[in-house]
Amino acid sequence: MVPPPFLILTARLPRDPHLKYEADPSQDGPEVDDLLDAELVDAIRKDFPILDRKMREDQRLVYLDNAATSQRPTQVVEAMRRYQQESNANVHRGIHQLAEEATETYEQAHADVAAFVGAEGMECVAFTKNTTEAINLVAQGWGLTNLEPEDAILVTELEHHANLVPWQQVADRTGAELRHVALTDDGRLDRASFHDQLDEDVALLAVSQVSNVLGTVNPVEAMTEAAHDVDARVLVDAAQSVPHMPVDVGEIGCDWLTFSGHKMLGPTGIGVLAGRREALEETEPLLFGGEMIRRVTKDEAEWAEMPWCFEAGTPPMTEAVGLSQAIDYVERIGREAIHEHSRELAARCQRRLEEVGCEVYGPAPEHRSALVSFNVPGIHPHDLASIIDDDGVAIRAGHHCAMPLMDHLGVAATARASFYIYNTEEDIDVLVNGIERAEEVMSVEEDGR
Amino acid sequence: MSDSGSSMYRQDILEHYKNPDNFGTLEPHTLAHNGENPLCGDTLEITLNLGDDGTIEAARFEGQGCAISQAATDILLGRIEEMEADEVLSMDEDQLLDVLGIDVSPLRVKCACLPLVTVQDGIEIHRGTMDPVDVTRTED
Ligand SMILES: Cc1ncc(COP(=O)(O)O)c(C=O)c1O
């Protein structure tokens, strides 16, 4: 029998070097390498006070909107609070103890992220506001300055608007051609379409590792290799993969990798651009001003070294502390275990939804990550979301910032349930019961229209 | 605290959604105008017949979308028949919600308002008091 799993996560709170906190080795928990067991999930849930709040008329919160943003554990909130109240100062500026501590903490956060996603070092990790800004940094800092009318940009039909609209802009402004990898009927990237379009003209491939609508896990490693064979650069949008599965820039081999803190237990206001050194060296800053310079004269300036050249202005210091702590939390559970857990929930949810007659979009469970998009016949997803909101169930309904993908599916909108470490099978039961109740609420004699 | 989601779906609302009184297209018509709610994907195609004195003689719609947008359209079109076009132009969100008689949760107010703004733009474009647009969109 393992020690109470509750201790595994809650006991080892801060990890901030300046707070001189030493983890108590007697509280080390077991290595979790399989499904998250019920006891561990219970322990995890205790770290998320929001899961205890009562919704509407006293219902338990069933939070199934994790792909939009995850909840944050006490450890993350507490680390940020302590930083604010005990160590706050501006980084890279003052010559005083607080500034020194703040700078060290902030730089350490880059190192933590680098280790987390297998980047070469902290100079290969820049903090941005979110995934969207990280992609824009590459689109403007590399795309606009490197692409020409004879070049092509290859994206896919399942991209989030964040990984589509910036490339539309680059195509517009540089004259480069924008191409789209088509999808198979079950919502995977069409291999033939990919290879057909990946010719010598392609200078950039921008692809998400996991679709935020279909949950499809894309073979980004193989795609990167193929793209590099034609000398194209590769950006991988890892916003939906980093929270769940092991992601390693080196293993994928991609040039840039982007994700957001807020979808992986971290705070809002911080995102990451990580990448290969040479690709980052080719990338111009997006923002100019203080913090990103080495020397400035009246007429010109020289950029600071990476990654600081990408981080103009006072950076998200508190958020960096939170992100670091979120990484720590995720690593303690283990991303393999997290992925198994959320995939298993998604697979069960898919099965249950199909059993009750829902239309489920996207691939079979073996190609799917932690979410399920679906529609209940005859019920608009917004009506469904409104009705099951009464049961305390939070799902997403809409186009999920992927309008071209909605066109492909031939629907205006879908409902989406997305899972994370604190979700349970009972959450799926509540969802399915809610769907059945919605069908009752919405039922009325139809006389043909 | 907003009202619960399910309370919007009263039987009379669902009745208008499933069995609308004013579904269809007027041929001929004085004016036709479309509305769209990009967020939900609700769409409306409204046709109106205006009398010489500016009263709305008939109003019909075709459309697709959530129950709130479609029921609101059916109810509104039923209400504005025989009304002066000017009166319709002066209606605001609160008056529309009064007509519907349900507590629309804040996130769904746009769905409910789509028919009103679509009808209003259609009338204004017809009168030449507004630059023509193909479709009226609620912002998301
Ligand atoms: C696949 C994907 N890419 C990009 C984004 C954008 O992330 P953010 O809104 O944090 O910039 C999201 C978030 O919804 C996403 O799911």
Side-chain angles (χ1 to χ4, degrees):
Chain A
M1 192 45 219
V2 298
F6 171 57
L7 297 175
I8 302 169
L9 300 163
T10 39
R12 300 190 290 179
L13 248 162
R15 215 190 30 129
D16 184 328
H18 306 295
L19 300 173
K20 301 285 181 275
Y21 174 85
E22 294 296 332
D24 176 354
S26 69
Q27 291 178 350
D28 269 3
E31 285 295 308
V32 189
D33 55 8
D34 207 337
L35 273 179
L36 299 184
D37 68 41
E39 245 178 307
L40 178 57
V41 172
D42 270 353
I44 289 171
R45 291 180 67 87
K46 291 196 174 68
D47 290 334
F48 293 82
I50 199 169
L51 299 175
D52 285 336
R53 71 161 276 188
K54 293 289 177 245
M55 309 305 293
R56 308 224 178 254
E57 287 143 30
D58 248 21
Q59 289 87 355
R60 173 171 86 82
L61 168 62
V62 176
Y63 188 74
L64 300 177
D65 198 12
N66 292 287
T69 196
S70 73
Q71 299 300 343
R72 303 151 202 12
T74 303
Q75 286 84 341
V76 167
V77 176
E78 181 63 10
M80 291 170 71
R81 183 196 66 75
R82 291 183 71 163
Y83 174 78
Q84 303 251 44
Q85 295 188 332
E86 297 173 22
S87 306
N88 179 54
N90 210 327
V91 296
H92 297 148
R93 285 183 189 170
I95 313 282
H96 52 75
Q97 188 186 341
L98 284 183
E100 203 176 291
E101 286 181 11
T103 302
E104 202 179 308
T105 303
Y106 186 65
E107 294 190 352
Q108 182 60 41
H110 288 72
D112 292 344
V113 171
F116 184 60
V117 295
E120 272 175 67
M122 71 167 205
E123 64 283 5
C124 296
V125 169
F127 289 157
T128 60
K129 191 169 63 176
N130 47 33
T131 304
T132 305
E133 188 180 283
I135 296 172
N136 273 275
L137 202 171
V138 178
Q140 300 193 30
W142 184 86
L144 283 187
T145 48
N146 281 275
L147 296 184
E148 295 176 347
E150 27 320 327
D151 291 325
I153 302 168
L154 185 56
V155 297
T156 83
E157 280 186 14
L158 51 66
E159 297 311 311
H160 187 283
H161 295 162
N163 199 26
L164 172 62
V165 181
W167 303 116
Q168 291 175 341
Q169 281 299 308
V170 171
D172 229 37
R173 296 189 204 175
T174 60
E177 181 194 350
L178 188 62
R179 300 180 184 171
H180 305 262
V181 178
L183 303 183
T184 61
D185 288 342
D186 68 343
R188 287 184 290 152
L189 296 179
D190 186 304
R191 193 182 292 259
S193 167
F194 173 64
H195 288 289
D196 282 354
Q197 298 187 75
L198 184 70
D199 58 26
E200 302 287 327
D201 292 338
V202 174
L204 177 89
L205 167 68
V207 58
S208 51
Q209 188 165 18
V210 169
S211 157
N212 68 311
V213 178
L214 300 173
T216 318
V217 182
N218 297 318
V220 290
E221 236 178 278
M223 293 173 79
T224 298
E225 202 181 325
H228 280 169
D229 282 347
V230 297
D231 282 335
R233 292 262 183 243
V234 179
L235 178 139
V236 171
D237 172 3
Q240 294 294 348
S241 53
V242 160
H244 293 275
M245 58 172 82
V247 172
D248 189 293
V249 177
E251 268 173 37
I252 298 171
C254 61
D255 297 284
W256 302 279
L257 183 104
T258 60
F259 62 97
S260 296
H262 69 92
K263 292 183 199 286
M264 51 160 291
L265 309 178
T268 56
I270 189 163
V272 171
L273 172 65
R276 284 200 317 136
R277 190 185 305 274
E278 305 90 276
L280 289 168
E281 280 168 0
E282 284 174 19
T283 311
E284 289 288 317
L286 174 66
L287 301 171
F288 303 90
E291 303 269 7
M292 56 82 67
I293 45 78
R294 177 176 293 136
R295 184 180 304 112
V296 181
T297 68
K298 266 159 72 176
D299 293 317
E300 53 187 27
E302 211 176 286
W303 305 157
E305 63 196 3
M306 294 197 318
W308 319 122
C309 59
F310 297 120
E311 299 186 2
T314 299
M317 303 176 297
T318 310
E319 290 76 8
V321 171
L323 177 58
S324 237
Q325 193 70 41
I327 288 175
D328 186 59
Y329 196 100
V330 164
E331 296 274 51
R332 278 172 200 278
I333 304 172
R335 277 179 287 174
E336 273 97 359
I338 293 176
H339 202 214
E340 283 302 317
H341 179 75
S342 11
R343 288 185 62 186
E344 177 65 22
L345 287 174
R348 282 178 205 214
C349 183
Q350 176 167 9
R351 203 165 57 233
R352 293 285 307 278
L353 291 174
E354 279 167 354
E355 276 164 19
V356 298
C358 293
E359 170 140 26
V360 173
Y361 306 99
E366 61 266 30
H367 301 293
R368 182 190 286 273
S369 181
L371 59 90
V372 183
S373 279
F374 62 98
N375 265 317
V376 183
I379 303 183
H380 190 283
H382 279 162
D383 294 325
L384 175 70
S386 283
I387 293 170
I388 65 176
D389 182 44
D390 280 357
D391 303 323
V393 181
I395 57 164
R396 187 80 189 271
H399 55 59
H400 314 288
C401 298
M403 285 178 156
L405 179 52
M406 294 294 114
D407 288 343
H408 170 86
L409 297 175
V411 296
T414 74
R416 180 187 71 190
S418 52
F419 301 94
Y420 213 11
I421 47 177
Y422 32 69
N423 290 119
T424 61
E425 266 190 88
E426 289 82 74
D427 291 347
I428 299 174
D429 294 339
V430 178
L431 170 68
V432 172
N433 290 341
I435 289 170
E436 286 174 337
R437 198 176 65 80
E439 284 175 320
E440 275 163 38
V441 169
M442 293 292 290
S443 67
V444 64
E445 285 295 297
E446 218 162 327
D447 64 20
R449 153 176 163 180
Chain B
M1 182 87 195
S2 63
D3 281 277
S4 72
S6 307
S7 70
M8 290 188 286
Y9 300 92
R10 280 192 332 229
Q11 274 298 312
D12 56 325
I13 295 290
L14 293 171
E15 196 57 53
H16 283 285
Y17 171 51
K18 299 266 171 102
N19 304 312
D21 302 324
N22 300 302
F23 197 77
T25 302
L26 295 168
E27 287 299 353
H29 50 254
T30 320
L31 70 92
H33 190 56
N34 297 344
E36 186 182 298
N37 184 347
L39 185 66
C40 316
D42 303 327
T43 58
L44 295 178
E45 297 168 25
I46 290 176
T47 45
L48 297 183
N49 276 334
L50 297 180
D52 294 336
D53 57 352
T55 51
I56 293 170
E57 289 177 343
R60 293 284 181 277
F61 79 104
E62 296 202 26
Q64 274 182 347
C66 69
I68 302 303
S69 70
Q70 304 299 305
T73 307
D74 196 46
I75 295 169
L76 179 74
L77 296 193
R79 178 62 67 100
I80 64 175
E81 271 188 12
E82 305 304 323
M83 262 169 76
E84 298 285 330
D86 283 332
E87 253 181 285
V88 177
L89 288 180
S90 69
M91 273 178 87
D92 61 17
E93 189 177 298
D94 289 341
Q95 287 168 296
L96 173 78
L97 296 178
D98 272 354
V99 169
L100 301 186
I102 49 170
D103 290 311
V104 179
S105 69
L107 291 171
R108 306 296 301 283
V109 167
K110 288 224 162 76
C111 308
C113 286
L114 180 63
L116 180 61
V117 291
T118 305
V119 168
Q120 288 175 333
D121 282 3
I123 294 172
E124 293 220 59
I125 292 166
H126 174 70
R127 288 183 171 181
T129 51
M130 175 181 153
D131 289 337
V133 289
D134 288 343
V135 48
T136 291
R137 289 195 178 85
T138 57
E139 317 115 52
D140 43 342

